[in-house]
Amino acid sequence: SELPDHLNPALALLGRMEPEEGKVFAGACLMPVLEKMIENLEPKDNPYSGLLKGLRCFVDSHFELTKKVAYG
């Protein structure tokens, strides 16, 4: 239940990082958290599910991550 509380500061930090550092942080820290949050919302009809999926897609695309290599 605390993961959402830390998402905003994590995104703010990500925005201030150098690109390569941001890619490492996104793959190692942010994507696993987003995956967990999305997984926890899946069985429910939650309005935040789509938002988190969109954020996951944006971070994945922006940092050119792949689920197999970077965060899973």
Side-chain angles (χ1 to χ4, degrees), residues 19-68:
E20 198 55 39
E21 184 183 30
K23 183 175 183 171
V24 171
F25 178 77
C29 300
L30 187 58
M31 292 304 276
V33 167
L34 287 173
E35 290 293 335
K36 183 163 182 81
M37 291 171 67
I38 291 166
E39 180 182 307
N40 288 337
L41 294 177
E42 262 325 299
K44 304 171 189 162
D45 186 24
N46 191 300
Y48 293 106
S49 180
L51 177 66
L52 292 172
K53 288 177 181 177
L55 178 59
R56 176 185 60 188
C57 184
F58 171 77
V59 171
D60 186 43
S61 174
H62 182 75
F63 290 104
E64 299 177 344
L65 302 173
T66 61
K67 189 172 188 174
K68 181 178 175 187

